[in-house]
Amino acid sequence: MKFSYVTDGGMTGPDRPTYAERYKNLITEAIAAEEAGFLAWGTSETHFLGPAALPKVTVSAPDSLMGAIATQTETLIMRYMVMPIPFYNPIQCAERIATMDVISEGRCELGTGRGNNLPAFQVFGVEPKDTRPRWAESLRIIAKALMNEGPISYDGEFWQIDEIEINPRPVQKPMPAVHSVATGLDSVQATARMGIGAITWDGYFGWDYLEKIIAAYRGAVPEAEPLTGQVNDNLSFFTTATACLERREDAIAAVEARAFDFCDLILDTYTPLAKTSTYEYYDELERVRSYSRDLEKLMDIGPSVVAGDPDDLLKVCKRLEAEGVDEVVFSIDSLSHEHHMETIRLLGKYVIPEMQRESGRETAAVS
């Protein structure tokens, strides 16, 4: 099993740092994650969810942070988690990805999404009903621009491109790996059929819903017509709140504000989208409201909120692996910087090596 780290630069609690302090800490935490054995680091690109939102999320321009981190690390993959490609011209997206691949010396990966908050759709001039076809068309153009050495053309529903060649060229051939956030059954199937990795979660609906998501993705992979010429069938699960401390009770206390605030953010941001076409499944989130302030329930129903000592986190990771998850993307965010660093340290000391030993034993047994 692989482990990666995602952050939205969240700042929760009474002693919120300044933007400058939080960004400096994000860089320090990413460097610590490489030392702890994490595969990839990434940040969501989030717009218009600043001081009025809980948690206060602060990263609207991830390229700057990723570039700073890439120059201070050697093995850590810089993965966009995620780039909302329907908001942009796909040629601009391809240029950003190629530039990051050069800066990181071939350590860039693209995580994509179609966007999920109404203010961003309004400001960027995108209709919610168009996000799925825009995402698919933009992704095809991005792949074509990154893989082809010469000029490309494209005549689509949303974009018409004539004889354009991007610069710089990516280091990785044919192109950096592609993943997409997919949380609905239709979305994970569409992702699998494009031959790209899925980053998913249980939506606070629980383990049963996650099993359906995994089955839908795995079932559609054999039908893949790979976008990049090769199938990436990596299935990642991302947590929304993570704390790993020496004492379980300390971890639970540390993660509570993040867990509740993220629940509020999801309910307040996603529920309005349930009224728009192609986001209908968000309507299911209303039932989450009944237990959005019950931390034990949130932790028990599914693996989105993960808090405890290293043994507690190992149990969750082992179950995710048994369910068919290839990678856990831990959201370690909106705690104190000290708790972030301790969580990274303990995951690197106990959880990551133990899960890798478990995988090694399984491989040996099979062979």
Side-chain angles (χ1 to χ4, degrees):
M1 176 170 269
K2 296 166 286 190
F3 295 91
S4 296
Y5 180 0
V6 65
T7 175
D8 51 33
M11 301 193 294
T12 299
D15 299 320
R16 290 180 174 176
T18 64
Y19 284 106
E21 291 167 339
R22 186 69 186 104
Y23 286 173
K24 182 178 180 180
N25 288 344
L26 286 176
I27 295 169
T28 301
E29 291 160 13
I31 294 169
E34 178 178 73
E35 295 170 352
F38 282 80
L39 172 73
W41 180 93
T43 176
S44 58
E45 179 180 329
T46 309
H47 300 277
F48 319 123
L49 295 175
L54 288 174
K56 179 181 179 183
V57 295
T58 67
V59 182
S60 57
D63 299 74
S64 299
L65 277 168
M66 292 169 71
I69 292 165
T71 62
Q72 298 187 56
T73 54
E74 296 180 358
T75 62
L76 197 65
I77 291 169
M78 300 292 103
R79 185 188 296 167
Y80 290 92
M81 290 196 280
V82 297
M83 184 188 293
I85 59 176
F87 296 164
Y88 302 113
N89 185 304
I91 295 299
Q92 292 175 302
C93 295
E95 291 171 336
R96 290 168 61 187
I97 296 158
T99 300
M100 187 57 61
D101 203 43
V102 171
I103 291 172
S104 64
E105 300 180 307
R107 289 183 285 129
C108 177
E109 292 184 356
L110 172 61
T112 71
R114 57 189 180 119
N116 53 26
N117 82 73
L118 286 173
F121 294 146
Q122 292 163 359
V123 169
F124 291 111
V126 177
E127 290 290 332
K129 66 179 178 61
D130 291 336
T131 56
R132 184 171 288 165
R134 282 179 73 99
W135 168 81
E137 183 171 302
S138 293
L139 198 50
R140 291 188 182 95
I141 295 170
I142 290 167
K144 192 173 184 179
L146 291 172
M147 289 194 298
N148 285 271
E149 293 295 335
I152 67 160
S153 298
Y154 193 93
D155 185 14
E157 179 182 359
F158 301 99
W159 300 103
Q160 290 75 46
I161 296 166
D162 185 32
E163 293 293 301
I164 293 296
E165 182 176 356
I166 69 159
N167 282 301
R169 304 302 310 166
V171 173
Q172 298 178 77
K173 305 298 180 187
M175 63 175 287
V178 180
H179 312 259
S180 178
V181 167
T183 56
L185 296 175
D186 290 346
S187 295
V188 294
Q189 289 173 327
T191 298
R193 291 184 184 119
M194 294 181 81
I196 59 181
I199 306 173
T200 194
W201 70 309
D202 73 320
Y204 298 125
F205 301 147
W207 287 101
D208 290 346
Y209 181 76
L210 179 59
E211 288 173 5
K212 294 176 184 177
I213 288 288
I214 293 170
Y217 181 75
R218 295 299 183 204
V221 167
E223 304 168 16
E225 296 180 5
L227 184 76
T228 65
Q230 53 193 22
V231 174
N232 172 16
D233 62 354
N234 188 72
L235 181 61
S236 304
F237 179 87
F238 72 92
T239 68
T240 61
T242 305
C244 183
L245 301 176
E246 295 282 1
R247 300 197 320 156
R248 183 176 191 271
E249 55 267 37
D250 292 341
I252 291 173
V255 85
E256 182 179 74
R258 164 69 178 187
F260 291 166
D261 288 346
F262 199 91
C263 243
D264 289 347
L265 183 68
I266 294 298
L267 290 167
D268 294 343
T269 303
Y270 288 5
T271 301
L273 284 172
K275 299 178 178 62
T276 68
S277 61
T278 78
Y279 288 89
E280 298 92 339
Y281 73 96
Y282 282 166
D283 195 45
E284 295 287 323
L285 282 168
E286 277 302 325
R287 63 186 169 95
V288 176
R289 205 176 292 277
S290 66
Y291 50 84
S292 64
R293 282 298 181 274
D294 186 341
L295 186 58
E296 288 294 339
K297 172 80 170 180
L298 288 171
M299 292 175 59
D300 183 62
I301 196 172
S304 285
V305 179
V306 186
D309 60 29
D311 286 339
D312 292 318
L313 272 75
L314 267 171
K315 290 175 185 175
V316 175
C317 291
K318 288 179 179 179
R319 180 166 179 181
L320 285 168
E321 186 174 51
E323 296 284 357
V325 171
D326 300 308
E327 176 186 32
V328 179
V329 180
F330 284 118
S331 175
I332 307 170
D333 214 344
S334 300
L335 315 176
S336 68
H337 175 57
E338 291 71 26
H339 281 156
H340 293 163
M341 294 294 285
E342 182 67 355
T343 293
I344 293 165
R345 185 185 73 81
L346 291 175
L347 288 171
K349 184 174 182 180
Y350 297 109
V351 177
I352 294 175
E354 177 59 24
M355 291 301 298
Q356 291 173 342
R357 279 193 293 270
E358 288 284 336
S359 296
R361 282 195 286 269
E362 288 178 10
T363 302
V366 171
S367 62

